[in-house]
Every structure is written in C-alpha cells, then in structure tokens.
Amino acid sequence: MRKQVKNNVSWVGYMDWELETFHGDEYSILNGSSQNAYLIEEEKTVLVDTVWLPHRDEFIENLRTEGVLDKIDCIVVNHGEQDHSGTLPALMKEIPGTPIYCTANAVKSLEGQYGKLGWDFHTVKTGDSLDIGNDKKLIFVEMRMLHWPDSMATYMTGDNILFSMDAFGQHFAVEELFNDKADQSLLYKEAMKYFANILNPFAPFVTRKLDEIGKLNLPIDIIAPSHGVIWRKEPMQIVTKYAEWADAYKENQITVAYDTMWEGTAKLAHAIAAEINKQDPETTVKVFNIAKTDKNELMTEVFKSKAIAVGSPTCVNDILTSVAGWLSFLKTLKFKNKKAAAFGCYGWSGESVKILQEKLIEAGFAVTEEHVRSCWNPDEEDYAIIPALAKALLSEEK
C-alpha cells in the first residue's frame, strides 16, 4: 500500500514492527523500524531506493498491485547497503534495463554485493540533476561517509523534498509516517540513539555536509530519510539537532558503567555515583551494569555525558570480557571532549585499573589521575579516595 507524502510523491516502503537487531546484532531495535522507499510520479516515474531482501516479494507485489511496476522510468539508489538495495536484483529481473542513478562508489558497492549483472548505471555527483518533467528535477548531493562512501541524498525541486538517506533517520516504526504524528519523546530518543551509535564516528563529515547543503540554498519543506519518520512539521529541527550533536555533544550528566564478579566493583560504582550527586546535585548521574544493559542504549547515555567512570575487577591479569568488548565498541564511536576515570577491585595481581585507563585514553577520553584500586573489597581507605575522583570528573578543567 502506498501512502502519500506530498502531491505526486508516495511512500512505498516497509514498516518493520518485528525487527529486533540491525547490522547483525550490533544495533538494538526496541521500537520497530522502517525501510523507506519513495515513488515519484511526474512525467517520469522514479523509484527512490528499495527495501531489505526479506521483504522483496511484498515490495514488488505492492508496486505491481498499485499499477506502477511497469511504469518505472528510473531508479535512484542513494546508498548500496542491503536494507536499501536488497530488492534490486529481483526488481531488475522484473524491469530489466531500467536506468539506475547513483554515485560511482555505489556502483562498486552494488556490484561487489550482487555481482556484475549488466545494470544500466548512470553515475552522478553533487550538483548533477535529472529532469523528471512538470518543471521539476532531482538534484543529487553526495553524502560520503554518512555513513558509507557511496551515500548520497536526492533533492526534488518544486515539492522541496530532501530524500536524505540515512542522515536524519531513526530505527523507529511510525505507521502514520510523519514526525508530528510520532511520540515526540520516543522520536528524539531514537534519533539521538541512531546518531550516537551509527553516525557519531563521522561527526566531522556531518558538520561539513550540513554546511555544504546550507550553501546550496535549497528550500526544504520535507526531509524524507531512509528509516523512521518523515519530517514535515518544522523539518529543519532535526538538522539543527544534528549540528548540535556533531559538535562534541554533552549534557550535564555523568555515567558510571561497570561489571563485577563478587560485588566489590559494584559497591565502588554506587559509591562514586552517590558522591557525584552529593558534590553536585544538579548533575544527572546514571549507573549501569555493562553486562546487563543494552549496549546501544548505554552508548547513548555516554554520548550525553560530559564524563564517565568505568569499572572492572581484575580477571586473569585483565579486565572482564564484557567490559573489554564494550570498550572496543566505545573506541569506534570516537566521542570527543569527555573525561573518564577508572576503578575496580582485585585479589591478586590488580591490573584492571591500569588497563581501563589505557583503553579509555585510546578511546579519546581525558582520563583523570584519580582512580580507585581496591584489594578484595572496598574499605574505608578506598571510599576515602572517591570524593577526589568525583571532584575530578565534575571539574571543568581537562
């Protein structure tokens, strides 16, 4: 079933209420998602993107039922990732020879994934355009590394719609499609989670691309991303948020993240949180057990934080594997301008705090000298160190 976006533009994607993970198991889906594809019916009929392979039959049958499958004049592929291009091989068997407009990098991506099938590629770059009739055209804008090298956005004149690909999206299912119909708190929670876990590593590219789009001076009435809501009410609000989030974002929050074996490190975590709250009740403090918390939800909290404290006991001359894996993920997200402290318990060799400090530095955090390294279980001497650690995390000095 198609749903009207504006005038002769329709949504023909797939609302995926049952999706639980994305990028393998790297990203958690808690409120459904959508694979947004769009149909433009001017003098030319243009399909903008497709959907994931598991939903290809339903997608193609929907186009057939709507009576538009054989009318498609060309396909725009904004991004070659399979959640957007997965239906292409089956679709091209239905409408062979249909021109595909995409970046040169997308040709490499599509042929790398599906093979060299003789598709009619028309490569485009920023500023190139395609006349679709009725005094309207599509203008292409390369969006390299947002979040693949092949990514681009497509702008439709006349209706002033920016098909923004993965930028400005969320993994969030909204049957009514539009941002003004969504639960606003959930919408921004999911939008921030998406940015923090997927786009933040490319934050410098986001800043430059926002500047570039601004200089094109294109009026934007609707932003139609590849996942989640379509921004029709005050669409530039999400652009403003992206500019804010891409600029080493932080709130007045400190997050304490840890794992524990026999609760000693857990005791330190809660004592640190209590001391931060005692010293500055205006600072939001949140505490999470890494092994028991959704990693993407936790990374979103780290994204919001000005500082973090990370704890692990020593285990076989190292840190717990739950914490090690989490720190590896943390490093890939390239958070900027945040402080960190380390803490943990040990019984024999006691390497965990030093390892934590090294890994936090590798992840780009400014690590405080203050730390807590407790032998067996925390005692009065260990708790006496915590006020200095809390003060260091709260301090505005780096």
Side-chain angles (χ1 to χ4, degrees):
M1 179 178 77
R2 75 168 78 190
K3 298 181 181 182
Q4 186 184 35
V5 174
K6 183 180 181 182
N7 296 331
N8 294 327
V9 179
S10 302
W11 178 90
V12 289
Y14 185 84
M15 200 63 63
D16 205 336
W17 289 98
E18 297 180 2
L19 190 65
E20 295 181 338
T21 61
F22 191 73
H23 286 161
D25 287 322
E26 282 298 288
Y27 189 96
S28 61
I29 308 290
L30 304 182
N31 293 289
S33 187
S34 63
Q35 298 140 41
N36 297 339
Y38 302 95
L39 190 70
I40 302 170
E41 297 173 279
E42 299 295 342
E43 291 180 38
K44 287 185 177 180
T45 298
V46 182
L47 179 65
V48 181
D49 296 314
T50 67
V51 301
W52 210 346
L53 178 63
H55 313 302
R56 65 180 180 182
D57 293 340
E58 184 173 340
F59 178 78
I60 292 173
E61 186 57 34
N62 182 45
L63 294 176
R64 196 190 317 275
T65 301
E66 294 288 346
V68 296
L69 180 61
D70 296 328
K71 296 179 181 179
I72 295 172
D73 293 299
C74 60
I75 302 168
V76 172
V77 176
N78 280 326
H79 177 29
E81 200 167 3
Q82 291 187 24
D83 51 319
H84 314 297
S85 69
T87 298
L88 262 181
L91 180 63
M92 295 305 289
K93 289 181 180 178
E94 297 280 347
I95 49 174
T98 303
I100 296 174
Y101 289 79
C102 63
T103 66
N105 278 326
V107 175
K108 297 177 184 178
S109 169
L110 294 170
E111 290 188 337
Q113 294 177 89
Y114 307 120
K116 295 184 178 181
L117 302 175
W119 293 345
D120 182 17
F121 289 113
H122 293 243
T123 58
V124 298
K125 58 185 183 300
T126 297
D128 288 349
S129 63
L130 173 66
D131 192 326
I132 57 174
N134 297 328
D135 296 321
K136 298 178 182 180
K137 61 182 179 178
L138 301 179
I139 300 174
F140 304 107
V141 182
E142 292 173 277
M143 303 278 276
R144 292 180 183 177
M145 301 316 302
L146 297 181
H147 62 114
W148 275 21
D150 67 0
S151 299
M152 72 174 184
T154 300
Y155 176 79
M156 180 179 175
T157 66
D159 291 316
N160 302 338
I161 300 174
L162 179 67
F163 300 99
S164 62
M165 188 30 56
D166 280 332
F168 313 127
Q170 335 82 44
H171 282 299
F172 184 30
V174 178
E175 191 70 38
E176 299 80 13
L177 292 184
F178 299 103
N179 67 306
D180 50 298
K181 295 293 186 179
D183 179 312
Q184 296 301 296
S185 61
L186 267 182
L187 171 56
Y188 270 97
K189 176 182 181 295
E190 293 295 347
M192 178 181 280
K193 176 181 175 180
Y194 189 90
F195 187 97
N197 286 271
I198 294 179
L199 290 176
N200 192 76
F202 314 107
F205 296 97
V206 173
T207 300
R208 290 198 292 271
K209 187 53 61 176
L210 292 178
D211 289 341
E212 183 181 326
I213 292 174
K215 289 176 182 176
L216 292 174
N217 201 28
L218 300 172
I220 297 175
D221 294 338
I222 288 178
I223 296 176
S226 60
H227 299 292
V229 303
I230 297 170
W231 301 87
R232 69 175 178 184
K233 183 177 181 181
E234 301 175 9
M236 297 306 287
Q237 63 181 287
I238 188 60
V239 178
T240 300
K241 281 294 182 184
Y242 263 50
E244 182 182 356
W245 293 340
D247 187 22
Y249 183 77
K250 59 184 177 182
E251 298 177 11
N252 187 22
Q253 175 173 317
I254 295 177
T255 294
V256 181
Y258 73 97
D259 197 3
T260 191
M261 291 179 69
W262 300 110
E263 304 308 315
T265 302
K267 292 174 183 177
L268 290 175
H270 291 286
I272 290 168
E275 181 62 29
I276 293 169
N277 176 256
K278 177 181 177 182
Q279 290 189 24
D280 186 357
E282 297 302 313
T283 296
T284 298
V285 185
K286 296 186 179 181
V287 183
F288 299 95
N289 183 313
I290 291 170
K292 298 179 180 180
T293 305
D294 180 289
K295 65 182 178 183
N296 303 112
E297 297 286 312
L298 178 48
M299 286 305 181
T300 308
E301 297 299 332
V302 173
F303 176 67
K304 291 162 59 178
S305 299
K306 62 183 181 182
I308 62 174
V310 181
S312 171
T314 298
C315 181
V316 194
N317 308 110
D318 210 326
I319 57 178
L320 293 176
T321 57
S322 58
V323 181
W326 185 81
L327 286 169
S328 178
F329 182 29
L330 180 70
K331 181 180 177 181
T332 70
L333 297 183
K334 299 181 181 179
F335 293 138
K336 303 294 184 186
N337 198 25
K338 298 181 187 293
K339 301 174 74 171
F343 63 96
C345 294
Y346 71 99
W348 308 109
S349 54
E351 295 94 337
S352 68
V353 168
K354 181 181 179 182
I355 293 170
L356 289 172
Q357 290 174 324
E358 291 171 349
K359 290 186 177 295
L360 287 165
I361 290 171
E362 290 175 2
F365 287 74
V367 176
T368 67
E369 293 183 6
E370 292 80 3
H371 61 273
V372 185
R373 183 172 174 267
S374 175
C375 186
W376 294 112
N377 270 309
D379 57 20
E380 291 183 4
E381 290 185 2
D382 298 314
Y383 289 122
I385 299 171
I386 288 177
L389 184 151
K391 183 178 179 181
L393 291 178
L394 287 164
S395 171
E396 296 299 322
E397 297 179 4
K398 294 184 180 179

